[in-house]
Amino acid sequence: MYRYTLLASDKAFTDQYQAWKQGGVSSVAMDFEGEFNLHVYGEHLCLIQLFDGKAFFLVDPFKVSKEALGPFFTDGELEKVMFSCESDAALVRKVYGIQLACVWDVRVPALALGYTGNLSGLMDMYGLEHVLENKKKNQMTNWMRRPLDEHQVQYALGDVAQLLALKEILWEQVSEKHLFRQVENQMKACAEAKHPEQPGWTKLPGYRFMSPVEQHYAKYLFIARDEVARRRNIPASRILDKRVLTDLVKKSVRDSQAYTKVTRDPEVLASLKHQLSEARKGR
């Protein structure tokens, strides 16, 4: 079982960050747990797990401000060792408007060495012990709730426990195979956005196969669903499933009253009606 310190205030986090800086700590393992439109509306950073090689820390982003986290996230001298950092870095950009700096992604050398699996498999490959928790169950858990239960905590800490060890193992193998230059080049941009962030409606099923008119309607109907979900603070899928929404897009091009057949919710109907009116004005 991992023992840890909870950092749940700006002062507690800043003090620990400064202790690392003053103590000459140059590398910490880091991972996030987030909420992605599963239990409430929108995407949220819910937990930050850190390990400095000696001690574990849990940071509560609901109690530690962007102003306190920003200098740590953007510190170009304190290395953050992560696994598959792309989605975590995107979450920080979306929530805080901050670009993670000085990230060392364990997955980059793993891929260079031919490994394409997950973190648990990588730890197993090198005989590194880790807490065996139900990954699927914990990925579906509500990380917004407080207090977190002990199973959630141990699962979360398990994802940082061996990252520093993996970095050393993989870097040695990369050097032996003369892949270090390739890995170093890839590492420089591992946390940066690979493509511009696309609006949510462009991710609807079959969007790229829609006609220009259907794509126009998709934008407005997506906004209609999103507005209600935001007001109620619930996942948009609970307002209208994305496939129902896609079907409604196609029907609305031909039938101006199609929205009345997919829901009886007055607020949803009003939002759909308003956005369809706006869509027709904009054609």
Side-chain angles (χ1 to χ4, degrees):
M1 181 173 290
Y2 305 114
R3 300 176 67 84
Y4 64 94
T5 298
L6 177 64
L7 305 177
S9 71
D10 282 6
K11 183 179 186 306
F13 179 78
T14 300
D15 285 351
Q16 183 56 54
Y17 172 44
Q18 291 304 320
W20 284 328
K21 298 286 284 182
Q22 294 166 11
V25 173
S26 59
S27 186
V28 296
M30 182 170 75
D31 189 44
F32 301 151
E33 301 300 338
E35 163 66 28
F36 300 92
N37 281 297
L38 187 62
H39 302 93
V40 299
Y41 175 81
E43 298 182 15
H44 307 267
L45 177 59
C46 302
L47 190 67
I48 304 170
Q49 306 95 272
L50 300 166
F51 177 56
D52 64 8
K54 295 180 179 179
F56 291 92
F57 302 88
L58 287 183
V59 183
D60 188 344
F62 301 155
K63 296 182 178 179
V64 179
S65 70
K66 169 186 175 179
E67 288 70 28
L69 291 170
F72 168 72
F73 284 150
T74 59
D75 191 325
E77 296 180 350
L78 182 57
E79 182 180 72
K80 282 72 96 176
V81 180
M82 307 179 72
F83 179 84
S84 196
C85 72
E86 189 173 339
S87 62
D88 287 340
L91 182 60
V92 171
R93 285 194 297 272
K94 185 169 291 187
V95 174
Y96 298 117
I98 291 173
Q99 174 62 52
L100 287 180
C102 201
V103 172
W104 206 96
D105 192 334
V106 168
R107 192 164 185 263
V108 173
L111 287 171
L113 293 165
Y115 178 80
T116 58
N118 60 21
L119 178 58
S120 295
L122 194 59
M123 289 189 283
D124 288 337
M125 178 183 294
Y126 293 108
L128 298 174
E129 293 184 4
H130 57 98
V131 175
L132 295 175
E133 291 283 344
N134 187 322
K135 191 168 184 68
K136 185 174 182 180
K137 174 185 174 183
N138 283 287
Q139 285 177 332
M140 299 294 287
T141 198
N142 187 350
W143 294 101
M144 299 282 291
R145 289 180 180 173
R146 294 297 185 270
L148 298 172
D149 65 43
E150 194 59 30
H151 290 293
Q152 287 177 297
V153 168
Q154 293 303 311
Y155 163 82
L157 291 174
D159 280 346
V160 294
Q162 300 293 358
L163 289 179
L164 297 178
L166 281 170
K167 178 195 170 185
E168 298 303 317
I169 292 170
L170 292 169
W171 190 242
E172 183 177 345
Q173 292 193 351
V174 162
S175 297
E176 288 176 357
K177 295 181 181 296
H178 306 290
L179 296 169
F180 58 88
R181 195 173 301 279
Q182 170 191 330
V183 169
E184 279 188 333
N185 288 335
Q186 292 175 349
M187 200 70 74
K188 291 175 183 177
C190 67
E192 297 177 1
K194 303 298 184 292
H195 308 284
E197 180 63 26
Q198 297 298 312
W201 56 84
T202 67
K203 301 173 186 177
L204 288 171
Y207 177 84
R208 65 193 183 99
F209 300 112
M210 293 180 184
S211 69
V213 172
E214 289 171 340
Q215 289 182 349
H216 178 76
Y217 273 77
K219 171 183 176 180
Y220 285 89
L221 291 177
F222 182 93
I223 291 171
R225 182 184 70 157
D226 226 45
E227 285 178 343
V228 179
R230 185 184 292 106
R231 285 196 293 268
R232 296 182 182 178
N233 194 29
I234 60 174
S237 60
R238 295 187 192 175
I239 304 300
L240 284 178
D241 181 80
K242 61 184 179 181
R243 297 193 180 279
V244 173
L245 187 63
T246 298
D247 187 52
L248 179 58
V249 167
K250 296 177 180 179
K251 290 180 178 178
S252 295
V253 173
R254 303 185 302 273
D255 180 3
S256 62
Q257 298 296 310
Y259 64 92
T260 62
K261 300 170 185 177
V262 299
T263 180
R264 294 182 179 180
D265 186 313
E267 186 181 14
V268 177
L269 286 170
S271 185
L272 289 170
K273 182 178 181 180
H274 171 71
Q275 288 299 333
L276 278 170
S277 175
E278 292 299 306
R280 293 186 190 104
K281 291 177 185 176
R283 284 185 60 185

